[in-house]
Amino acid sequence: MFQGFWDLCWSHDLKTRDHLLREAVRVVKMKQYLDQIPAEHDDIASDPELLFERMKEQIGTMELGHFPGDRELFYKLYHLGKDIDLLEYGLQTIRQDRVIASLQVHSGLFRTFIEHGSRQRNGRNWLVTEAEKFFEGLSEQVLPEGVRLTLLTDNYIVAVLLKTYYLDKPAVRVIQGSIYHPLPLNEFFDAILSVPHFGLKLEEQDIQLREAEGVAIKQIAPLLAHGGKLMSVLPARMMFQSGAIGEWRREMNERFPVSAIHVLPEGLFRPYTSVKTYLILFCNEQSGADIQLGRYKLVSSTLQEADVIGYKQAAFRQLEDWRIELLLNQDSQTLAAFQQAAIPKIKLKAAADLFRGKSILKQDLQPGSISVLNISNLENGEVVLDQLETIQEEERKVRRYEVLSGDLVMTCRGTQTKLAVFPGHSQMVIASANIIVIRFREQVDSMYAKMFLESPVGLALIQSFQRGTTVMNLNPADVGEIEIPLWPMERQLSMSQQYREEKKLYMDTIQAATKRWEQQQERMYADLF
């Protein structure tokens, strides 16, 4: 049914998402009108001229504008779309829109919101913001008895569509407004659901925090009734970036204490985004109860809790960030011991210069005087120099990406973390965009830093700054926030030397064992004949 309706609209140059939604709403509103006059229903519906004239008379142009066609087109559209489920139609129309890639939230998250809202002690006044993101959940889930639901959207046509769909449901109302600006609401809600835009920076000049996610939460949270909870989804960077975002976390937890944080399953928001996301519950009361930290797993379209631990609110307030993977990690006791140890520590950004390499396309690779260090050149913690590809470029143009002897290099993309100390090369070598270069000053030895970062504690710290899911995505500024133990240089060099000696012994042993095995294989095979 949907495809036929779309095809007819497209053939008459009605191609945008709003065009497709508007005409479906017009048809359904006409059907609602005819259903109110059963005596005339069939006569009007079967007559193109009468149907068209009655549509113009009853629906008019104030709400949906002039109909962009003649009586024959409306007649065909009406009979193709009169029985359309507007919510399902809206969902599929938004999904197939290639011009505006709109996020559609998994219905499992909406179901989780209903479960949390149903646990509220008092009141059933709920708010869902940017309602067009939740069409799937709205179409699949049944609201509990007694719930008053407010749907907020900043899209005019979506608002008209929802008002038309919920025309006979007085418990649901639709309001137009943006969560990134002051809202047209003067009441309080017991449960609020919001998935703000990920990665959008607002342009207003009079705001300190420009991240859309933070602005939205600050706009919405004051609408919580006492004891109410705001359920929101945030991307990884909002959990650990410092500066204005760090101040936002502190302020939010003071005014609307966090009651739960869960890591959401990988791929929950694909194909719209693959960044790591978290579900956070903010509460409008100081309950004193432990904060629930855990993960959600997707089981048969339902989000199920896993690895849940309780965390004291006082301890949570002391955290500089909300990297809960560190607390959920199987080595969390070791991590805690490191973080609480009295040994001096230093952030990488205070001990080194960090930068990401140059973006190089396949067609740029050619015989040239400049070598390129990529992920494939890092094997077993070493740089394989004889496999470096090259480009032809003026040295002055790529000098900022040059890798020098003693630099620590690490992968920032791909599927696994690789680290190596660059040994130096006879010709100029630059890092690719898949590599972060860490150039230490006098305080830290590169090999010592590599030892720490590839330890279980170091890898856990690196992964806690991961912005992606399966495919790694690390930012140099985030990596710079990692703390490493700052022992005296003499001790660092001693540990580095021991590391090199033990690794050489390990590699020599493997090489000798491999050679012996190959020789024994040849002897045994010869004995067969």
Side-chain angles (χ1 to χ4, degrees):
M1 181 188 298
F2 298 163
Q3 190 62 55
F5 195 89
W6 290 333
D7 288 343
L8 185 56
C9 286
W10 291 335
S11 68
H12 287 75
D13 206 31
L14 302 174
K15 298 179 179 179
T16 69
R17 183 185 70 179
D18 282 0
H19 279 147
L20 300 174
L21 296 179
R22 180 184 290 112
E23 297 318 316
V25 172
R26 197 189 306 271
V27 164
V28 172
K29 288 178 77 70
M30 188 61 189
K31 176 67 162 52
Q32 291 174 342
Y33 162 70
L34 292 183
D35 286 346
Q36 295 173 4
I37 50 172
E40 301 178 66
H41 184 290
D42 293 341
D43 291 339
I44 297 174
S46 60
D47 185 332
E49 178 70 33
L50 190 56
L51 182 68
F52 188 65
E53 291 303 319
R54 195 62 66 90
M55 179 271 292
K56 292 193 295 182
E57 174 188 314
Q58 294 298 324
I59 299 177
T61 60
M62 290 293 293
E63 195 171 34
L64 297 172
H66 290 281
F67 178 69
D70 58 16
R71 60 185 57 79
E72 293 299 329
L73 175 58
F74 184 74
Y75 181 80
K76 291 177 183 177
L77 285 174
Y78 179 81
H79 287 283
L80 275 173
K82 59 185 176 66
D83 295 320
I84 274 178
D85 180 308
L86 265 185
L87 211 53
E88 180 64 23
Y89 174 85
L91 170 64
Q92 298 305 328
T93 301
I94 291 173
R95 276 181 174 169
Q96 62 86 39
D97 185 15
R98 296 293 179 264
V99 178
I100 305 174
S102 299
L103 173 69
Q104 280 297 302
V105 177
H106 193 281
S107 62
L109 198 142
F110 193 81
R111 184 183 296 113
T112 302
F113 169 68
I114 289 179
E115 292 170 357
H116 276 280
S118 299
R119 297 175 197 157
Q120 295 296 97
R121 297 189 303 270
N122 303 312
R124 292 294 182 93
N125 196 21
W126 296 0
L127 170 67
V128 173
T129 70
E130 297 183 311
E132 62 273 17
K133 296 178 178 178
F134 301 96
F135 276 9
E136 182 177 313
L138 287 167
S139 64
E140 291 183 8
Q141 305 302 316
V142 177
L143 292 176
E145 189 74 23
V147 167
R148 301 183 304 278
L149 179 65
T150 298
L151 300 175
L152 183 73
T153 177
D154 65 354
N155 184 289
Y156 174 75
I157 294 302
V158 170
V160 177
L161 182 149
L162 289 169
K163 287 177 181 178
T164 304
Y165 181 80
Y166 288 109
L167 183 65
D168 60 346
K169 296 179 175 62
V172 180
R173 66 169 177 167
V174 181
I175 294 177
Q176 192 176 355
S178 170
I179 59 175
Y180 310 104
H181 299 93
L183 290 165
L185 295 167
N186 55 4
E187 61 184 293
F188 299 103
F189 298 90
D190 305 294
I192 302 176
L193 174 61
S194 181
V195 181
H197 293 315
F198 299 155
L200 176 67
K201 284 190 177 291
L202 303 180
E203 298 299 326
E204 283 80 353
Q205 298 298 315
D206 57 345
I207 57 174
Q208 280 189 314
L209 182 70
R210 300 190 180 280
E211 279 67 19
E213 304 96 326
V215 172
I217 300 304
K218 287 186 74 170
Q219 294 281 5
I220 300 166
L223 298 175
L224 283 174
H226 181 71
K229 290 188 176 180
L230 162 60
M231 177 183 288
S232 182
V233 175
L234 295 176
R237 64 190 177 82
M238 296 298 294
M239 310 299 283
F240 55 69
Q241 274 194 355
S242 55
I245 294 178
E247 180 60 26
W248 171 86
R249 285 194 301 270
R250 185 196 62 77
E251 181 184 337
M252 285 301 304
N253 194 46
E254 284 184 0
R255 295 184 59 196
F256 304 97
V258 172
S259 65
I261 302 179
H262 288 78
V263 184
L264 286 171
E266 172 196 338
L268 193 67
F269 295 101
R270 285 180 182 162
Y272 309 99
T273 182
S274 58
V275 300
K276 188 190 297 185
T277 53
Y278 300 78
L279 187 65
I280 304 183
L281 279 178
F282 296 97
C283 186
N284 191 14
E285 68 174 346
Q286 296 282 353
S287 67
D290 285 356
I291 297 170
Q292 298 300 298
L293 306 178
R295 308 178 194 273
Y296 273 120
K297 295 181 178 179
L298 195 58
V299 181
S300 300
S301 298
T302 299
L303 293 175
Q304 294 186 4
E305 285 185 313
D307 307 327
V308 179
I309 63 171
Y311 202 77
K312 297 296 183 185
Q313 287 195 20
F316 187 80
R317 284 195 293 271
Q318 300 302 311
L319 298 177
E320 291 186 5
D321 52 55
W322 296 348
R323 291 179 291 154
I324 67 168
E325 288 92 342
L326 295 179
L327 306 174
L328 299 175
N329 192 288
Q330 60 182 357
D331 297 312
S332 59
Q333 291 184 341
T334 307
L335 279 165
F338 165 69
Q339 292 172 323
Q340 296 168 12
I343 60 174
K345 305 180 185 72
I346 189 170
K347 289 187 177 183
L348 289 179
K349 67 180 182 181
D353 298 315
L354 297 89
F355 62 90
R356 174 175 270 166
K358 177 178 173 57
S359 177
I360 295 174
L361 304 176
K362 274 191 175 182
Q363 55 263 37
D364 296 332
L365 298 172
Q366 56 180 296
S369 59
I370 297 174
S371 299
V372 179
L373 180 67
N374 213 329
I375 295 175
S376 58
N377 305 122
L378 306 183
E379 294 181 7
N380 299 318
E382 306 288 342
V383 178
V384 182
L385 293 173
D386 59 359
Q387 296 178 9
L388 296 176
E389 294 182 290
T390 61
I391 62 171
Q392 187 59 49
E393 184 59 271
E394 295 180 42
E395 289 190 4
R396 64 179 180 83
K397 293 184 177 180
V398 294
R399 182 70 66 186
R400 58 180 294 196
Y401 305 108
E402 185 177 12
V403 189
L404 302 179
S405 176
D407 286 345
L408 177 60
V409 294
M410 67 180 293
T411 53
C412 57
R413 293 176 183 164
T415 56
Q416 59 180 310
T417 302
K418 296 182 178 183
L419 296 122
V421 175
F422 188 70
H425 194 40
S426 58
Q427 68 184 70
M428 183 179 185
V429 179
I430 65 171
S432 76
N434 298 321
I435 301 290
I436 290 176
V437 179
I438 308 174
R439 184 167 297 156
F440 288 98
R441 308 184 192 102
E442 297 81 9
Q443 292 174 289
V444 177
D445 176 64
S446 297
M447 184 60 73
Y448 165 79
K450 174 181 180 292
M451 290 170 54
F452 174 77
L453 291 174
E454 66 185 11
S455 71
V457 170
L459 288 175
L461 291 171
I462 291 171
Q463 290 165 6
S464 71
F465 285 106
Q466 168 69 276
R467 297 189 183 199
T469 49
T470 302
V471 178
M472 180 169 52
N473 181 11
L474 289 169
N475 186 291
D478 298 338
V479 173
E481 296 292 330
I482 295 175
E483 286 187 322
I484 63 173
L486 185 61
W487 294 114
M489 181 58 73
E490 182 180 353
R491 180 170 179 177
Q492 292 183 39
L493 294 175
S494 174
M495 296 171 71
S496 297
Q497 183 60 29
Q498 182 182 3
Y499 178 89
R500 290 187 179 93
E501 291 173 355
E502 291 298 330
K503 184 170 184 180
K504 184 178 185 304
L505 177 61
Y506 169 72
M507 298 304 295
D508 290 346
T509 303
I510 290 177
Q511 187 175 2
T514 301
K515 185 175 181 181
R516 172 180 168 78
W517 171 238
E518 290 172 349
Q519 291 172 344
Q520 292 300 318
Q521 278 183 308
E522 290 178 7
R523 183 185 62 78
M524 289 185 288
Y525 294 155
D527 289 346
L528 292 173
F529 304 101

